[in-house]
Amino acid sequence: MADSSFDIVSKVERQEVDNALNQAAKEISQRYDFKNVGASISWSGEKILMQANSEDRVTAILDVFQSKLVKRGISLKALDAGEPQLSGKEYKIFASIQEGISQENAKKVAKIIRDEGPKGVKAQVQGEELRVSSKSRDDLQSVIALLKGQDFDFALQFVNYR
């Protein structure tokens, strides 16, 4: 019988991020506490730009955006938001969406699978994802449970389970 396998990836659906950003922009335009503070949130190339005329307002915009991401099922670990920066008379926060598992993070995950996972489970790094394979589907299920119990500083999804 052939080995069963699944892939561990770190992907974010850009359309969902775009929807969350549009919802946040709509809420910011309608909320009373954001009136007359120059509050806005928008795409700036591949980054997300949040700006307002005070530091606490721009962090409030970030909070609104994060709540919209959570409602859309996107892990906040995928959001890499910088610190508020003063630019002229406005405060700005640049945030980016992180995708893909870096080589060192993939090695960390593979080491956890080797050390704590069931015997006979193999993990191979393939670019920005990790392929986990085993003869037993039950072993793969226990690897998924093991990894869900870990606290990584990046988001993980399990795909292509076969």
Side-chain angles (χ1 to χ4, degrees), residues 6-12 77-78 97-113 123-132 147 152-159:
F6 68 89
D7 295 334
I8 301 172
V9 296
S10 182
K11 288 192 171 124
V12 176
K77 293 177 181 179
I97 303 296
Q98 294 179 321
E99 290 194 296
I101 302 174
S102 67
Q103 288 292 327
E104 63 265 8
N105 287 338
K107 287 178 183 173
K108 283 183 202 171
V109 173
K111 182 170 175 22
I112 289 172
I113 292 170
Q124 308 160 295
V125 178
Q126 295 180 333
E128 291 189 335
E129 59 185 41
L130 198 67
R131 163 95 19 110
V132 180
L147 293 177
F152 297 108
D153 55 349
F154 51 95
L156 290 180
Q157 290 89 33
F158 307 101
V159 296

Side-chain angles (χ1 to χ4, degrees), residues 5-139:
S5 69
F6 68 89
D7 295 334
I8 301 172
V9 296
S10 182
K11 288 192 171 124
V12 176
E13 205 169 312
R14 182 157 172 111
Q15 184 61 50
E16 290 296 327
V17 175
D18 204 33
N19 291 341
L21 186 130
N22 291 335
Q23 286 178 338
K26 185 173 182 180
E27 181 173 326
I28 289 164
S29 70
Q30 293 174 344
R31 270 179 45 178
Y32 180 75
D33 58 334
F34 288 121
K35 293 277 189 255
N36 301 323
V37 295
S40 69
I41 181 170
S42 62
W43 286 103
S44 173
E46 284 296 306
K47 293 186 181 272
I48 298 163
L49 170 65
M50 294 161 258
Q51 54 190 16
N53 65 5
S54 70
E55 190 172 349
D56 60 331
R57 286 296 94 202
V58 79
T59 52
I61 293 171
L62 179 61
D63 289 343
V64 169
F65 182 53
Q66 287 175 335
S67 72
K68 300 299 179 192
L69 286 174
V70 168
K71 283 183 182 171
R72 292 213 151 274
I74 298 170
S75 173
L76 291 181
K77 293 177 181 179
L79 181 70
D80 182 24
E83 293 297 312
Q85 300 168 336
L86 184 60
S87 172
K89 292 183 176 179
E90 289 196 323
Y91 282 88
K92 295 181 177 184
I93 294 179
F94 284 100
S96 60
I97 303 296
Q98 294 179 321
E99 290 194 296
I101 302 174
S102 67
Q103 288 292 327
E104 63 265 8
N105 287 338
K107 287 178 183 173
K108 283 183 202 171
V109 173
K111 182 170 175 22
I112 289 172
I113 292 170
R114 267 196 320 275
D115 295 347
E116 301 177 28
K119 299 286 180 249
V121 175
K122 297 183 286 292
Q124 308 160 295
V125 178
Q126 295 180 333
E128 291 189 335
E129 59 185 41
L130 198 67
R131 163 95 19 110
V132 180
S133 58
S134 171
K135 292 203 181 305
S136 165
R137 286 180 166 235
D138 292 340
D139 288 349

